[in-house]
Protein backbone atom coordinates (compact mmCIF):
# COMPACT_ATOMS: atom_id res chain seq x y z
CA UNK A 1 0.00 0.00 0.00
CA UNK A 2 1.10 3.58 -0.71
CA UNK A 3 -0.23 6.88 0.54
CA UNK A 4 -0.24 10.18 -1.28
CA UNK A 5 -0.23 13.15 1.10
CA UNK A 6 -1.48 16.49 -0.25
CA UNK A 7 -2.02 19.95 1.22
CA UNK A 8 -5.01 21.91 -0.07
CA UNK A 9 -6.85 25.12 0.88
CA UNK A 10 -10.35 24.92 2.33
CA UNK A 11 -12.08 25.75 -0.97
CA UNK A 12 -10.49 22.80 -2.79
CA UNK A 13 -10.78 20.01 -0.21
CA UNK A 14 -14.09 18.67 -1.47
CA UNK A 15 -13.05 18.79 -5.15
CA UNK A 16 -9.71 17.09 -4.47
CA UNK A 17 -11.37 14.38 -2.35
CA UNK A 18 -13.97 13.64 -5.02
CA UNK A 19 -11.34 13.51 -7.77
CA UNK A 20 -9.16 11.11 -5.77
CA UNK A 21 -12.03 8.76 -4.93
CA UNK A 22 -14.14 8.92 -8.07
CA UNK A 23 -11.57 9.31 -10.84
CA UNK A 24 -8.07 8.48 -9.57
CA UNK A 25 -8.66 5.07 -7.90
CA UNK A 26 -7.89 6.01 -4.31
CA UNK A 27 -9.02 3.37 -1.84
CA UNK A 28 -9.70 5.97 0.85
CA UNK A 29 -9.15 9.64 1.62
CA UNK A 30 -8.77 11.16 5.07
CA UNK A 31 -8.73 14.89 5.86
CA UNK A 32 -6.94 16.54 8.80
CA UNK A 33 -6.12 20.07 9.88
CA UNK A 34 -2.79 21.09 8.33
CA UNK A 35 -2.32 23.56 11.20
CA UNK A 36 -3.07 21.15 14.04
CA UNK A 37 -0.98 21.70 17.18
CA UNK A 38 0.12 25.15 16.00
CA UNK A 39 -1.00 28.69 16.83
CA UNK A 40 -3.06 28.63 13.62
CA UNK A 41 -5.21 25.67 14.68
CA UNK A 42 -8.94 26.46 14.61
CA UNK A 43 -11.81 24.29 15.84
CA UNK A 44 -14.59 23.58 13.35
CA UNK A 45 -16.84 21.35 15.46
CA UNK A 46 -19.22 22.52 18.17
CA UNK A 47 -22.18 21.31 20.15
CA UNK A 48 -25.38 20.34 18.35
CA UNK A 49 -27.54 23.40 17.73
CA UNK A 50 -24.60 25.81 17.77
CA UNK A 51 -22.94 27.15 14.61
CA UNK A 52 -19.47 25.83 13.82
CA UNK A 53 -16.75 28.47 13.60
CA UNK A 54 -15.92 27.44 10.00
CA UNK A 55 -17.13 25.02 7.36
CA UNK A 56 -13.62 23.56 7.13
CA UNK A 57 -10.01 24.12 8.07
CA UNK A 58 -8.11 26.92 6.36
CA UNK A 59 -5.56 24.37 5.13
CA UNK A 60 -6.07 20.62 5.13
CA UNK A 61 -3.86 17.58 4.75
CA UNK A 62 -5.48 14.94 2.55
CA UNK A 63 -4.06 11.42 2.77
CA UNK A 64 -5.11 9.13 -0.08
CA UNK A 65 -4.40 5.40 0.07
CA UNK A 66 -3.51 3.48 -3.11
CA UNK A 67 -2.79 -0.18 -3.73
CA UNK A 68 0.22 0.45 -6.01
CA UNK A 69 2.93 3.13 -6.17
CA UNK A 70 2.46 3.78 -9.89
CA UNK A 71 -1.26 4.39 -9.34
CA UNK A 72 -0.48 6.93 -6.62
CA UNK A 73 2.15 8.63 -8.81
CA UNK A 74 -0.24 8.85 -11.75
CA UNK A 75 -2.97 10.26 -9.50
CA UNK A 76 -0.66 13.01 -8.27
CA UNK A 77 0.45 13.85 -11.82
CA UNK A 78 -3.10 14.00 -13.21
CA UNK A 79 -4.41 15.98 -10.25
CA UNK A 80 -1.71 18.64 -10.31
CA UNK A 81 -2.16 19.04 -14.08
CA UNK A 82 -5.66 20.40 -13.52
CA UNK A 83 -5.89 24.18 -13.78
CA UNK A 84 -8.21 24.41 -10.78
CA UNK A 85 -5.69 22.52 -8.57
CA UNK A 86 -2.89 25.09 -8.75
CA UNK A 87 -3.00 25.60 -4.95
CA UNK A 88 -2.72 21.86 -4.20
CA UNK A 89 0.75 20.64 -3.22
CA UNK A 90 2.25 17.17 -2.75
CA UNK A 91 3.67 16.69 0.74
CA UNK A 92 4.71 13.05 0.46
CA UNK A 93 4.35 9.80 -1.46
CA UNK A 94 5.38 6.87 0.70
CA UNK A 95 4.87 3.21 1.32
CA UNK A 96 2.57 2.23 4.18
CA UNK A 97 4.26 -0.37 6.35
CA UNK A 98 2.15 -3.45 7.13
CA UNK A 99 0.45 -3.26 10.53
CA UNK A 100 -1.48 -5.64 12.68
CA UNK A 101 -4.36 -3.16 12.97
CA UNK A 102 -6.40 -5.38 15.28
CA UNK A 103 -3.55 -5.69 17.77
CA UNK A 104 -2.73 -1.99 17.47
CA UNK A 105 -6.33 -1.02 18.21
CA UNK A 106 -6.53 -3.42 21.13
CA UNK A 107 -3.33 -2.07 22.64
CA UNK A 108 -4.97 1.35 22.94
CA UNK A 109 -7.81 0.11 25.16
CA UNK A 110 -7.00 -1.29 28.59
CA UNK A 111 -9.31 -2.06 31.52
CA UNK A 112 -10.87 1.09 32.98
CA UNK A 113 -11.34 1.39 36.74
CA UNK A 114 -14.66 2.91 37.83
CA UNK A 115 -14.31 1.96 41.48
CA UNK A 116 -11.91 -0.52 43.06
CA UNK A 117 -14.47 -3.29 42.49
CA UNK A 118 -16.18 -2.09 39.28
CA UNK A 119 -14.29 -2.17 35.96
CA UNK A 120 -14.85 -1.89 32.21
CA UNK A 121 -12.81 -4.61 30.53
CA UNK A 122 -12.35 -5.15 26.76
CA UNK A 123 -12.96 -8.73 25.63
CA UNK A 124 -9.27 -9.33 24.96
CA UNK A 125 -8.26 -8.55 28.58
CA UNK A 126 -8.67 -10.58 31.75
CA UNK A 127 -10.54 -8.73 34.52
CA UNK A 128 -8.38 -7.45 37.40
CA UNK A 129 -8.35 -9.72 40.44
CA UNK A 130 -10.17 -7.16 42.60
CA UNK A 131 -13.05 -6.69 40.13
CA UNK A 132 -16.43 -7.79 41.50
CA UNK A 133 -18.55 -6.27 38.73
CA UNK A 134 -17.31 -6.08 35.15
CA UNK A 135 -18.71 -4.55 31.96
CA UNK A 136 -17.31 -6.27 28.89
CA UNK A 137 -17.22 -3.58 26.22
CA UNK A 138 -15.17 -3.27 23.04
CA UNK A 139 -14.70 -0.02 21.10
CA UNK A 140 -17.42 0.38 18.49
CA UNK A 141 -19.39 2.88 16.45
CA UNK A 142 -21.44 4.25 19.34
CA UNK A 143 -20.17 6.65 21.99
CA UNK A 144 -19.32 5.22 25.38
CA UNK A 145 -16.29 3.02 26.06
CA UNK A 146 -15.71 4.24 29.60
CA UNK A 147 -12.59 6.22 28.73
CA UNK A 148 -14.34 9.62 28.83
CA UNK A 149 -14.72 11.43 32.18
CA UNK A 150 -18.48 11.89 31.71
CA UNK A 151 -19.03 8.15 31.36
CA UNK A 152 -16.80 7.32 34.31
CA UNK A 153 -18.59 9.83 36.56
CA UNK A 154 -22.02 8.42 35.67
CA UNK A 155 -20.88 4.86 36.34
CA UNK A 156 -19.29 5.85 39.64
CA UNK A 157 -22.56 7.46 40.70
CA UNK A 158 -24.42 4.24 39.83
CA UNK A 159 -21.94 2.10 41.79
CA UNK A 160 -21.98 4.38 44.85
CA UNK A 161 -25.76 4.77 45.02
CA UNK A 162 -26.79 1.19 44.33
CA UNK A 163 -28.80 -0.46 47.08
CA UNK A 164 -29.68 -4.11 47.77
CA UNK A 165 -33.19 -3.60 46.42
CA UNK A 166 -31.92 -1.86 43.28
CA UNK A 167 -34.03 0.42 41.07
CA UNK A 168 -37.38 -0.86 39.83
CA UNK A 169 -37.15 1.16 36.56
CA UNK A 170 -34.14 2.84 34.91
CA UNK A 171 -34.00 5.02 31.79
CA UNK A 172 -30.75 5.65 29.88
CA UNK A 173 -31.60 8.52 27.51
CA UNK A 174 -29.10 8.86 24.65
CA UNK A 175 -27.63 5.43 25.38
CA UNK A 176 -24.83 5.29 22.79
CA UNK A 177 -23.10 1.96 23.47
CA UNK A 178 -25.52 1.19 26.30
CA UNK A 179 -22.77 1.33 28.90
CA UNK A 180 -24.83 3.23 31.51
CA UNK A 181 -27.84 0.97 31.05
CA UNK A 182 -25.62 -2.09 31.47
CA UNK A 183 -23.98 -0.56 34.54
CA UNK A 184 -27.39 0.10 36.08
CA UNK A 185 -28.53 -3.45 35.32
CA UNK A 186 -25.41 -4.89 36.96
CA UNK A 187 -26.16 -2.81 40.07
CA UNK A 188 -29.74 -3.95 40.57
CA UNK A 189 -31.74 -2.17 37.88
CA UNK A 190 -34.75 -4.44 37.35
CA UNK A 191 -36.43 -2.92 34.27
CA UNK A 192 -33.89 -0.95 32.24
CA UNK A 193 -34.85 1.01 29.11
CA UNK A 194 -32.15 2.49 26.85
CA UNK A 195 -33.08 4.89 24.03
CA UNK A 196 -31.21 6.78 21.34
CA UNK A 197 -32.08 8.64 18.14
CA UNK A 198 -29.35 6.69 16.30
CA UNK A 199 -30.39 3.17 15.18
CA UNK A 200 -26.70 2.12 15.24
CA UNK A 201 -26.56 3.01 18.93
CA UNK A 202 -29.69 0.96 19.59
CA UNK A 203 -28.12 -2.07 17.89
CA UNK A 204 -24.84 -1.55 19.75
CA UNK A 205 -26.70 -1.40 23.06
CA UNK A 206 -28.58 -4.61 22.33
CA UNK A 207 -25.37 -6.43 21.38
CA UNK A 208 -23.46 -5.13 24.40
CA UNK A 209 -26.28 -5.99 26.79
CA UNK A 210 -26.37 -9.54 25.41
CA UNK A 211 -22.58 -9.83 25.73
CA UNK A 212 -22.89 -8.83 29.39
CA UNK A 213 -25.83 -11.16 30.07
CA UNK A 214 -28.11 -8.37 31.32
CA UNK A 215 -31.68 -7.52 30.38
CA UNK A 216 -31.92 -4.12 28.67
CA UNK A 217 -34.72 -2.95 26.41
CA UNK A 218 -33.21 -0.75 23.70
CA UNK A 219 -35.05 1.33 21.12
CA UNK A 220 -35.76 4.76 19.70
CA UNK A 221 -36.90 7.53 22.11
CA UNK A 222 -40.57 6.57 21.91
CA UNK A 223 -39.70 3.42 23.87
CA UNK A 224 -39.40 5.54 27.02
CA UNK A 225 -42.72 5.67 28.84
CA UNK A 226 -43.97 6.52 32.28
CA UNK A 227 -41.76 7.30 35.25
CA UNK A 228 -38.46 5.84 36.38
CA UNK A 229 -36.66 5.71 39.71
CA UNK A 230 -33.42 6.56 37.91
CA UNK A 231 -33.04 8.65 34.73
CA UNK A 232 -29.55 8.91 33.19
CA UNK A 233 -28.55 11.18 30.31
CA UNK A 234 -24.94 11.58 29.21
CA UNK A 235 -25.17 13.76 26.11
CA UNK A 236 -24.26 17.47 25.82
CA UNK A 237 -25.40 20.66 27.54
CA UNK A 238 -27.46 22.08 24.66
CA UNK A 239 -29.67 18.99 24.12
CA UNK A 240 -29.90 18.49 27.88
CA UNK A 241 -31.39 21.98 28.23
CA UNK A 242 -33.85 21.35 25.41
CA UNK A 243 -34.83 18.00 26.92
CA UNK A 244 -35.41 19.36 30.42
CA UNK A 245 -39.24 19.08 30.37
CA UNK A 246 -39.14 15.59 28.89
CA UNK A 247 -36.46 14.17 31.17
CA UNK A 248 -37.99 15.72 34.28
CA UNK A 249 -41.37 14.24 33.38
CA UNK A 250 -39.82 10.77 33.33
CA UNK A 251 -38.45 10.95 36.91
CA UNK A 252 -40.68 9.30 39.49
CA UNK A 253 -41.38 10.97 42.84
CA UNK A 254 -38.40 10.19 45.02
CA UNK A 255 -36.34 9.30 41.97
CA UNK A 256 -32.94 10.48 40.80
CA UNK A 257 -31.91 12.46 37.73
CA UNK A 258 -28.25 12.08 36.65
CA UNK A 259 -26.92 14.32 33.87
CA UNK A 260 -23.49 14.45 32.21
CA UNK A 261 -21.79 15.83 29.14
CA UNK A 262 -21.65 19.24 30.85
CA UNK A 263 -18.63 21.51 31.05
CA UNK A 264 -17.99 23.25 34.38
CA UNK A 265 -18.82 26.65 32.89
CA UNK A 266 -22.23 25.33 31.75
CA UNK A 267 -23.42 24.15 35.18
CA UNK A 268 -25.39 27.29 36.01
CA UNK A 269 -27.19 27.17 32.64
CA UNK A 270 -28.33 23.64 33.41
CA UNK A 271 -29.47 24.58 36.90
CA UNK A 272 -31.61 27.36 35.44
CA UNK A 273 -33.06 25.11 32.75
CA UNK A 274 -34.15 22.46 35.28
CA UNK A 275 -35.17 24.85 38.08
CA UNK A 276 -38.94 24.49 37.40
CA UNK A 277 -38.71 20.78 38.24
CA UNK A 278 -35.72 20.17 40.51
CA UNK A 279 -32.59 21.62 42.10
CA UNK A 280 -29.61 20.29 40.15
CA UNK A 281 -26.31 20.10 42.01
CA UNK A 282 -22.77 19.38 40.88
CA UNK A 283 -21.95 15.97 42.34
CA UNK A 284 -18.49 15.44 40.84
CA UNK A 285 -15.89 17.15 38.68
CA UNK A 286 -13.29 15.60 36.39
CA UNK A 287 -11.05 17.14 33.72
CA UNK A 288 -13.27 20.18 33.24
CA UNK A 289 -16.53 18.18 33.10
CA UNK A 290 -19.20 17.97 35.80
CA UNK A 291 -21.79 15.44 36.87
CA UNK A 292 -25.10 17.04 37.87
CA UNK A 293 -27.75 15.25 39.88
CA UNK A 294 -31.09 15.89 41.54
CA UNK A 295 -33.42 14.01 43.85
CA UNK A 296 -37.07 14.64 43.08
CA UNK A 297 -39.63 15.13 45.82
CA UNK A 298 -40.53 12.09 47.86
CA UNK A 299 -43.85 10.42 46.98
CA UNK A 300 -46.71 11.54 49.17
Amino acid sequence: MFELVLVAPEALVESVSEALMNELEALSVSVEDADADTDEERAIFGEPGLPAPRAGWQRSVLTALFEHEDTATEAATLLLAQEWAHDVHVQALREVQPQDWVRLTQSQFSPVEITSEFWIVPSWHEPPAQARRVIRLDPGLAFGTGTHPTTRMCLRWIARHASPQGWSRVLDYGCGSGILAIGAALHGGQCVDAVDIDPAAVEATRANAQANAVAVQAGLPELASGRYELVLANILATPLKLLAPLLAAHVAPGGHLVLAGILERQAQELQSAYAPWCALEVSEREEGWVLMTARFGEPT
Side-chain angles (χ1 to χ4, degrees):
M1 292 288 181
F2 291 81
E3 61 181 18
L4 172 63
V5 184
L6 305 164
V7 178
E10 178 183 339
L12 295 181
V13 169
E14 185 173 353
S15 298
V16 172
S17 299
E18 290 181 354
L20 288 166
M21 288 296 295
N22 299 334
E23 302 171 25
L24 300 175
E25 301 182 34
L27 301 175
S28 66
V29 177
S30 63
V31 182
E32 298 176 279
D33 184 2
D35 299 311
D37 300 321
T38 73
D39 292 340
E40 300 301 316
E41 182 177 6
R42 297 292 183 270
I44 64 169
F45 302 112
E47 290 188 8
L50 296 179
R54 308 178 59 90
W57 293 296
Q58 187 172 348
R59 296 187 314 129
S60 294
V61 173
L62 294 89
T63 303
L65 188 64
F66 294 87
E67 189 170 359
H68 303 291
E69 184 177 12
D70 57 352
T71 310
T73 301
E74 183 179 6
T77 302
L78 291 173
L79 183 63
L80 297 183
Q82 305 303 310
E83 185 176 347
W84 57 266
H86 62 277
D87 285 333
V88 179
H89 304 284
V90 175
Q91 189 175 79
L93 175 56
R94 59 198 175 211
E95 185 175 6
V96 179
Q97 297 302 316
Q99 294 250 29
D100 185 342
W101 294 107
V102 172
R103 181 169 295 180
L104 179 62
T105 300
Q106 290 181 351
S107 70
Q108 297 171 350
F109 292 90
S110 300
V112 177
E113 180 180 358
I114 303 303
T115 69
S116 60
E117 296 185 346
F118 181 29
W119 290 71
I120 302 164
V121 184
S123 61
W124 53 83
H125 279 280
E126 288 297 318
Q130 68 269 35
R132 296 292 176 266
R133 287 188 174 90
V134 170
I135 296 178
R136 286 289 194 177
L137 194 70
D138 294 342
L141 294 177
F143 175 83
T145 60
T147 58
H148 197 274
T150 59
T151 309
R152 293 197 300 269
M153 288 190 292
C154 287
L155 289 171
R156 272 197 295 270
W157 189 96
I158 290 170
R160 291 168 178 170
H161 290 80
S163 62
Q165 63 268 29
W167 298 281
S168 61
R169 299 192 76 208
V170 178
L171 174 63
D172 179 3
Y173 201 97
C175 56
S177 66
I179 190 169
L180 301 186
I182 294 167
L186 288 173
H187 286 83
Q190 298 165 30
C191 177
V192 181
D193 290 342
V195 302
D196 203 291
I197 60 173
D198 184 357
V202 172
E203 290 305 314
T205 295
R206 288 172 179 162
N208 288 328
Q210 183 176 9
N212 284 275
V214 296
V216 172
Q217 295 185 86
L220 298 176
E222 51 265 31
L223 172 67
S225 63
R227 300 203 175 209
Y228 299 81
E229 282 188 303
L230 174 59
V231 174
L232 306 154
N234 180 17
I235 38 183
L236 288 171
T238 297
L240 283 175
K241 287 189 288 185
L242 295 173
L243 289 168
L246 184 149
L247 293 178
H250 278 308
V251 184
H256 292 273
L257 178 65
V258 177
L259 306 179
I262 307 160
L263 295 169
E264 287 192 72
R265 59 179 171 79
Q266 298 169 325
Q268 190 169 354
E269 298 174 35
L270 268 293
Q271 288 173 328
S272 298
Y274 282 81
W277 301 278
C278 62
L280 276 179
E281 295 182 353
V282 174
S283 295
E284 189 175 352
R285 292 176 170 85
E286 186 175 342
E287 296 180 19
W289 299 89
V290 296
L291 182 74
M292 303 194 74
T293 62
R295 181 79 182 270
F296 277 54
E298 293 287 350
T300 55

